[in-house]
Structures are given as C-alpha cells and as structure tokens.
Amino acid sequence: MRSQMLAARAAALFASDLPSGSRPSAAVVESAIAVSVRRCGGTRGCVAALAAAYGDYPETAVVRMRWARSVVQSVYEPSPALVLAA
C-alpha cells in the first residue's frame, strides 16, 4: 500500500506545474499534488498524463519522474535517522 501511495503521489507531482529540479517545501508538494489530482480527474488521470509524456517526450519524462519520485520520497518517507531516534 505504501509504495502505491508513493507512486500515485509521484505521478501527480509529475503532472503538476512545478518545475523539475526544484526543491519545494512539503506544503507546496501537497498543494501541487492536490491540484494535479483535481485537474486530471483523479490519480488515473495523472498516470495517463505521465504515460502520454513518456510516449511523446521519453528523454525528458525520465528526468522529470526521477525528480518527482525523489521529492515525494523526501516528503513522505521518514528518514532512517528519524526512525532510529524514535
């Protein structure tokens, strides 16, 4: 379940208007994901936008998806150091 949520959030962030390479705050990421999900008609629409980008622009889609996954992981996955400290 957790990996599915991360994948859905990454797809929504991919479909957002945030520029690749940026390091947005958690609040900006959450807002961008929510806007993308609404604009695309749900997470399936975000995945469809992702698939279309891979078909049309595979060389840039790979870079954007790496960025989106990295940002989502930094926001939604706990740091190993924080887990050990708890």
Side-chain angles (χ1 to χ4, degrees):
M1 174 72 166
R2 182 183 184 121
S3 64
Q4 291 172 338
M5 286 297 294
L6 288 173
R9 287 173 172 148
L13 188 59
F14 180 99
S16 77
D17 292 333
L18 291 180
S20 296
S22 64
R23 286 291 168 194
S25 68
V28 170
V29 169
E30 289 180 9
S31 175
I33 288 171
V35 168
S36 288
V37 170
R38 280 193 302 274
R39 185 181 65 225
C40 292
T43 56
R44 288 182 184 192
C46 294
V47 171
L50 169 71
Y54 267 96
D56 295 340
Y57 310 102
E59 63 285 344
T60 57
V62 170
V63 174
R64 183 157 178 85
M65 190 57 178
R66 283 187 187 136
W67 164 80
R69 286 189 56 86
S70 172
V71 171
V72 166
Q73 285 175 332
S74 71
V75 170
Y76 293 100
E77 284 189 341
S79 168
L82 293 175
V83 172
L84 293 175

